[in-house]
Amino acid sequence: MTPELARLLFDSLLETLWMVGVAGFFGTLAGLPLGVLLVVTDRGGLIRSVAVNRVLGAVANAVRSTPFIILMVAIIPFTRWIAGTSIGTTAAIVPLSIAAAPFIARLVEAALREVDRGLIEALLAMGATPWQVVRKALLPEALPGIVAALTVTAVSLVGHSAMAGAVGGGGLGDLGIRYGYQRFLPEVMAAVVVVLIVLVQLLQSLGDRLARRLSHR
Amino acid sequence: MGQPLTLAPLTARARRGLVRWRVGEIVARFRAGTGRKAPAAASLPLPNTAAERPLFALRGIGKTFPGGVTALADIDLDIHEGEIFGIIGRSGAGKSTLLRLLNLLERPTAGGIAFDGHDLLALDAAELRTRRRRIGMIFQHFNLLSSRTVAGNVALPLELAGASKAAIARRVDELLELVGLAELRDRYPAQISGGQKQRVGIARALATHPRVLLCDEATSALDPETTQSILALLADINRRLGLTIVLITHQMQVIKAVAHRVAVLDAGAVAEIGDVADIVTAPRSAVTRTLLRELIGDEIPASVRERAARLAADGNGVVWRLAFRGAVVDTPLLAELSAAHPVATHLLHGYIDEVRGVPFGSLVALVAGENEHLRAAAGFLAARGVRVEEV
């Protein structure tokens, strides 16, 4: 491996980590509350509201059913408004965050539904407000599940970020396409794939370990 | 924001008499936790002098679930300060629903509930939450947070009530001492036994100094020995703290062991209600007798029953179940019977026990003799307060 290739790989890895990290952060910021709302507003939830639940559910489904490459292009004006530019790594973070949020919301929703209803009943019997039930019971009890959900999201963001090259986003995927495919350098392609595999393995085992540590079941 | 969300399902809800909320209200409600206020029930004819006022007064309570299943119908019930009140019934009798009405985890669809003289149904959500801190509850499956230690679980209701750190620490120590779990304070629920989990549940329920403890099948998931120790703890708490306890169970044993008064629930209605000694020793309803049968175990095996029936057919006899209580326990009943009347008794089953100091028992016997003598024998027994029932 030439030093130039190593340098390229390293820079691209950093770009990928930057995109995944920041998009994961903003995705969680929006997705976690959305997931909580989807659970508490549902039938039998803490603050039942079928209307709110349906609207939120429909929005989440709409975003999730739009292919990422289309989503990325479709929201370019919005991206430009938020990030000041529509090309580059930072610009790619906007559609990545938007794609991650409903993904996280649905996974968080599933994790929260795993929490025993008896616990919610116990907290209500103690005189807890719905917000206290969420904060003191639902979120702590579902935390291992939420960590697992975020791990899945991170891995899926690594995949999505490979498409960021379409808006000049950089990262490992972009490196693979431009050098490996377009310039026909198979060793670059191979190196990119190996780095991606190692990255995903690391993310997954890190998430698994954290989830295990947090679980006291 | 602020616009009413008028989607079809919401209109349907509005038609069903439910409140239509705006998005802003939902957010506000979520933060403040204020629920919708139930339509006030018909005003209750409740006793209002403190001396005669029961801790819980239920009048004409009914509960019909959406979908039309009626769980409870027209229940009148008084639960007094300081007593252990048992509610027994088979599964599906409505006892779990009834217990959940007492802290409004379920809302009744008819009637009214007063707790300590306050109409529970008239409280708004914030008032109800404050009131619920005076009503502790423990559960069949304990419902402890797996993410918190023993001490953390006991601290939870105090945190919810906004107690200071120091006050919480003091109270948690006190409670763990009370239930005998001081050693295990840093364990997680997954690391302790079922009986210990229920002790944590009890400590947690007592944290905010409740007036009453609701027990939802609290011993049904425990082995017999642990059940005894939890029941002993409950009786002890009742005695020492004067705490009112309401417990539901399907086991007559639990009622017999700790309850002072009991309501027998059958198909959503009260079949009978009274002092445990009376209900256990002189049950009036069929469902009580069935529930007692599990306790007494005097079901006669089919083969024995057949033989007895043959004997009875040959020699003009009958199989009687004799139920008695009180002083008659101390008399040689069957010997006196045979001495007084020319009948022969052949004992098939005998049981004797005691409930709240009252001895009671039953004998199942084949009694052989001429019909007229049998009639006289039955009269002899009835005169001594023995209930005679043909098996």
Side-chain angles (χ1 to χ4, degrees):
Chain A
M1 191 188 289
T2 62
E4 289 81 12
L5 178 54
R7 176 91 221 154
L8 267 176
L9 267 176
F10 184 70
D11 286 348
S12 302
L13 176 63
L14 285 187
E15 283 170 353
T16 294
L17 288 177
W18 170 248
M19 285 189 287
V20 170
V22 178
F25 175 78
F26 285 112
T28 307
L29 213 60
L32 192 62
L34 185 57
V36 170
L37 274 175
L38 282 171
V39 172
V40 298
T41 58
D42 199 8
R43 252 175 259 279
L46 287 163
I47 49 161
R48 287 174 295 282
S49 172
V50 179
V52 170
N53 189 266
R54 292 217 178 146
V55 169
L56 292 179
V59 170
N61 287 344
V63 176
R64 291 221 301 133
S65 52
T66 311
F68 180 66
I69 191 88
I70 294 174
L71 178 80
M72 201 159 51
V73 185
I75 64 161
I76 279 177
F78 179 72
T79 303
R80 190 176 296 130
W81 183 61
I82 294 279
T85 170
S86 61
I87 43 174
T89 310
T90 307
I93 287 171
V94 176
L96 281 173
S97 305
I98 288 174
F103 189 74
I104 291 171
R106 286 300 187 191
L107 290 174
V108 165
E109 182 191 4
L112 293 177
R113 284 191 199 286
E114 289 294 303
V115 176
D116 189 350
R117 284 201 59 81
L119 282 179
I120 299 166
E121 192 176 52
L123 262 87
L124 290 177
M126 287 173 208
T129 62
W131 168 237
Q132 283 177 321
V133 174
V134 169
R135 197 162 50 92
K136 298 278 186 183
L138 279 182
L139 289 177
E141 288 291 303
L143 192 57
I146 291 172
V147 166
L150 294 182
T151 307
V152 171
T153 307
V155 167
S156 134
L157 276 174
V158 169
H160 279 99
S161 72
M163 284 180 249
V167 292
L172 287 165
D174 185 46
L175 177 72
I177 293 289
R178 284 195 289 127
Y179 287 72
Y181 177 66
Q182 289 167 351
R183 295 196 192 171
F184 205 67
L185 298 169
E187 68 275 17
V188 177
M189 187 64 97
V192 162
V193 170
V194 168
V195 171
L196 280 173
I197 288 173
V198 172
L199 176 62
V200 168
Q201 292 285 358
L202 277 177
L203 282 173
Q204 189 64 51
S205 58
L206 209 72
D208 287 348
R209 198 181 302 178
L210 188 58
R212 251 201 316 278
R213 165 115 26 120
L214 290 169
S215 171
H216 293 287
R217 279 177 184 283
Chain B
M1 289 294 174
Q3 285 297 313
L5 289 162
T6 45
L7 293 184
L10 207 60
T11 329
R13 286 160 49 111
R15 261 206 309 278
R16 290 206 309 273
L18 298 175
V19 189
R20 196 191 301 188
W21 303 323
R22 290 155 190 261
V23 174
E25 277 173 33
I26 286 170
V27 172
R29 231 161 46 83
F30 188 54
R31 291 172 59 186
T34 42
R36 69 201 117 128
K37 209 160 170 168
S43 59
L44 309 178
L46 291 172
N48 42 22
T49 59
E52 64 176 71
R53 190 168 72 198
L55 190 59
F56 277 109
L58 278 65
R59 293 291 177 272
I61 284 293
K63 173 76 184 181
T64 303
F65 286 103
V69 181
T70 298
L72 296 169
D74 205 24
I75 304 260
D76 289 327
L77 208 61
D78 283 347
I79 296 170
H80 301 289
E81 183 104 53
E83 72 175 339
I84 301 184
F85 189 85
I87 298 168
I88 190 170
R90 309 198 152 282
S91 48
K95 53 192 190 303
S96 192
T97 307
L98 181 55
L99 191 75
R100 278 167 174 69
L101 289 171
L102 298 181
N103 58 2
L104 289 196
L105 285 177
E106 298 278 1
R107 278 191 175 265
T109 45
I113 308 172
F115 170 62
D116 199 20
H118 300 273
D119 182 356
L120 273 187
L121 299 175
L123 301 179
D124 69 25
E127 291 167 334
L128 175 60
R129 280 197 299 275
T130 312
R131 200 60 63 181
R132 276 176 174 165
R133 290 185 196 139
R134 320 300 298 167
I135 308 176
M137 188 169 191
I138 60 174
F139 305 86
Q140 179 175 5
H141 297 297
F142 323 119
N143 294 348
L144 303 178
L145 295 190
S146 69
S147 55
R148 281 177 175 239
T149 60
V150 165
N153 269 287
V154 177
L156 181 60
L158 299 164
E159 286 173 26
L160 297 178
S164 74
K165 274 217 161 65
I168 291 177
R170 215 170 329 113
R171 184 76 183 133
V172 168
D173 287 344
E174 224 170 84
L175 289 159
L176 289 179
E177 202 63 52
L178 177 76
V179 299
L181 287 182
E183 318 273 281
L184 300 179
R185 56 174 302 134
D186 294 323
R187 299 275 193 91
Y188 284 92
Q191 301 167 321
I192 60 178
S193 73
Q196 290 165 339
K197 283 181 201 171
Q198 196 56 290
R199 282 168 189 270
V200 178
I202 291 170
R204 182 177 71 173
L206 296 180
T208 49
H209 298 281
R211 299 278 302 275
V212 57
L213 179 63
L214 309 181
C215 309
D216 179 13
E217 295 271 9
T219 57
S220 297
L222 303 174
D223 62 60
E225 203 176 316
T226 315
T227 295
Q228 287 313 315
S229 84
I230 291 296
L231 291 177
L233 176 63
L234 290 176
D236 185 51
I237 287 167
N238 167 258
R239 249 194 324 273
R240 276 166 50 190
L241 311 178
L243 184 73
T244 312
I245 295 179
V246 183
L247 54 88
I248 63 168
T249 178
H250 61 274
Q251 295 169 303
M252 196 52 101
Q253 232 156 328
V254 171
I255 297 291
K256 200 195 107 209
V258 292
H260 304 153
R261 288 200 309 138
V262 63
V264 181
L265 222 55
D266 185 32
V270 176
E272 59 182 309
I273 184 169
D275 282 340
V276 168
D278 291 337
I279 302 275
V280 169
T281 58
R284 277 166 296 140
S285 79
V287 59
T288 314
R289 278 197 279 275
T290 319
L291 288 164
L292 276 168
R293 200 135 296 158
E294 277 158 27
L295 177 69
I296 296 173
D298 65 349
E299 206 58 66
I300 306 299
S303 62
V304 177
R305 191 194 288 268
E306 257 171 53
R307 267 207 307 281
R310 261 203 309 279
L311 281 170
D314 291 348
N316 290 328
V318 284
V319 178
W320 279 346
R321 175 179 283 115
L322 312 175
F324 49 85
R325 66 175 204 160
V328 70
V329 165
D330 302 327
T331 63
L333 191 65
L334 294 184
E336 287 179 9
L337 177 67
S338 294
H341 297 280
V343 292
T345 57
H346 172 64
L347 192 59
L348 298 175
H349 183 276
Y351 173 87
I352 188 148
D353 203 347
E354 173 184 69
V355 55
R356 296 181 42 77
V358 180
F360 72 103
S362 82
L363 295 172
V364 179
L366 170 70
V367 186
E370 299 294 330
N371 274 332
E372 57 188 292
H373 295 138
L374 287 175
R375 266 199 300 281
F380 171 88
L381 290 167
R384 301 185 156 223
V386 176
R387 197 160 46 80
V388 182
E389 185 187 320
E390 220 165 299
V391 178

